[in-house]
Amino acid sequence: LLGVRDIHADHAASHIGKAQGIVTCLRATPYHCTRQKVFLPMDICMLHGVSQEDFLRWRQEKNVRDVIYDIASQAHIHLEHVR
């Protein structure tokens, strides 16, 4: 965007974009659930024994919170790569 031609800047921008995408997906989850949609990774949900129905009913159980935490942790890992 600014004419910067640096592989390290490109790499950092890539990780920032990934982190932002993950956070946007998490922030939009309540909105999507009201429309009967779940866009979270099912492999992480299955790891914690959470179904799409758990999100659609907006259950606040520990395993649902653990799914959110694991996904948010992925965003944090991308930010750590940038630092």
Side-chain angles (χ1 to χ4, degrees), residues 2-27:
L2 299 173
V4 175
R5 303 254 185 243
D6 180 53
I7 190 78
H8 299 293
D10 290 345
H11 190 75
S14 173
H15 281 291
I16 289 170
K18 290 172 187 173
Q20 181 63 42
I22 293 168
V23 170
T24 299
C25 183
L26 285 175
R27 290 182 64 212

Side-chain angles (χ1 to χ4, degrees), residues 17-33 37-42 45 55 58 67-68 71-72 75:
K18 290 172 187 173
Q20 181 63 42
I22 293 168
V23 170
T24 299
C25 183
L26 285 175
R27 290 182 64 212
T29 297
Y31 170 82
H32 291 300
C33 286
K37 305 279 186 197
V38 178
F39 296 112
L40 299 176
M42 285 293 105
C45 292
F55 282 100
W58 205 242
V67 169
I68 299 297
I71 296 170

Side-chain angles (χ1 to χ4, degrees), residues 20-73:
Q20 181 63 42
I22 293 168
V23 170
T24 299
C25 183
L26 285 175
R27 290 182 64 212
T29 297
Y31 170 82
H32 291 300
C33 286
T34 63
R35 280 141 183 83
Q36 304 299 302
K37 305 279 186 197
V38 178
F39 296 112
L40 299 176
M42 285 293 105
D43 58 333
I44 295 175
C45 292
M46 288 188 303
L47 181 70
H48 292 284
V50 175
S51 67
Q52 287 185 346
E53 192 67 29
D54 293 329
F55 282 100
L56 297 178
R57 293 180 187 211
W58 205 242
R59 294 191 174 132
Q60 301 288 322
E61 298 167 0
K62 182 183 180 325
N63 58 346
V64 173
R65 291 191 311 268
D66 289 343
V67 169
I68 299 297
Y69 180 83
D70 280 359
I71 296 170
S73 294

